[in-house]
Amino acid sequence: MSPDQTTWARLRRDVPRIAAAAGVGYAVLASVYAGFGWDAHAYWSAWHGPMYSAAPGQPGAFLYSPVFAEFLWPLAQLPFWLFSLVFSVASAVSIWWLLKPVQGELRWLLLLAAAPEIASGNVFAELGVVAALGVRFPALWAVAALTKPSVCLGPVWSALRRDWRPVAIAVCATALVAGVSYLAAPGQWHAWLGFLRRNGSAASGAVGSPLVPGVLFRLPISLALLWWGRRRPDVVPVAMMLATPVFGISAAVMLFAIPRLRLVGSRTAPAR
C-alpha cells in the first residue's frame, strides 16, 4: 500500500471516530448548559405560553405552523422530561433506520456523531426520513412544508425533472392538511402568518450560526444544486441542509438520507 493510500485509509478510519467523540462531547456539554431537549422545549412550551412570542434564534422560539403544534398537543400534556425523551428516541430510531445501508462500525460511529440531534430533540432526523421516502411517497413532503418550509425541496427536485405527478401529490397533501388545520384553528394561523411577517428580515441574517449566511443567501445555492443533480435523488438532502432556516450542526443529520436514496437512485427515471 502506497503512503497516499495509507493516509487515506487512516482518515477513513479515524475521522468518523473523531466525529463520534466530538458529537457525544458536544451533546453532553450542550445538555449541561441548555438542558436536555433544548430544541424540543420550544415544541413543548408552545402549549404552555404564547405560541409565537419569541423571535427566531431566541430560546424557546416556536417557528412552525399550527399544524405541527396541533399534532404535538397530546404529547405536550406530558411532563417535559418525558416529552423530550419521546423526541430523542424518535430521532435515534430515525437515524438508525436511515443508516441501515451503512455496514459495520461506521454505522455506530455516525449514530454517535448525531448525538447533538438526539439530545436536542429537533426534527432534522425525521426530515431525513421524509427525504429518504419522499421519492416513493411524495405526500410526505407535507411534513417538511408544514414544519421547515424552506427545506421542502423534494417537489422542487421533481419539478426540475418535469415529473409533475409527485409535485401535485405533495401540493395537494399539504393543502389538505393545512386547510383542515385552518378550519379547526384560524386564529393560530393568523398568529403564525403575523409572526412570519414580523420576523421576515431574519431570513437574510445569520440565525443559528454567526458564521453561516441567512437562508435567503443559501437557498439559491440549494436550488442550483438541485438543478445540477436533477438525475440524482441523493442531492436532495444536501440541498435541504443548505436551506434550513436556522442553521446548526444538527442539520447535517439530514445527510444520513443519502445511503437510502442511493439505493433507489438507479431506479429513478432520467430527467427529460
Side-chain angles (χ1 to χ4, degrees), residues 23-120:
V24 172
Y26 180 91
V28 171
L29 290 176
S31 296
V32 171
Y33 175 75
F36 185 84
W38 59 89
D39 283 335
H41 189 268
Y43 312 153
W44 181 82
S45 62
W47 289 106
H48 297 271
M51 190 171 291
Y52 296 111
S53 59
Q58 293 182 350
F62 184 76
L63 315 178
Y64 306 102
S65 74
V67 172
F68 188 50
E70 291 159 359
F71 175 78
L72 294 177
W73 183 84
L75 283 177
Q77 310 314 305
L78 300 172
F80 174 67
W81 70 267
L82 186 54
F83 178 92
S84 61
L85 181 61
V86 169
F87 261 81
S88 294
V89 170
S91 293
V93 171
S94 297
I95 292 167
W96 188 250
W97 179 82
L98 289 171
L99 294 174
K100 191 174 181 180
V102 179
Q103 301 299 317
E105 179 189 42
L106 181 59
R107 188 181 184 192
W108 285 100
L109 293 175
L110 291 175
L111 178 67
L112 292 174
E117 164 68 7
I118 297 171
S120 71

Side-chain angles (χ1 to χ4, degrees), residues 1-16:
M1 183 178 293
S2 68
D4 288 344
Q5 291 175 322
T6 302
T7 300
W8 178 244
R10 287 177 178 174
L11 286 173
R12 292 185 63 182
R13 180 195 64 195
D14 294 339
V15 168

Side-chain angles (χ1 to χ4, degrees), residues 167-177:
V167 178
I169 292 173
V171 170
C172 290
T174 302
L176 177 62
V177 174

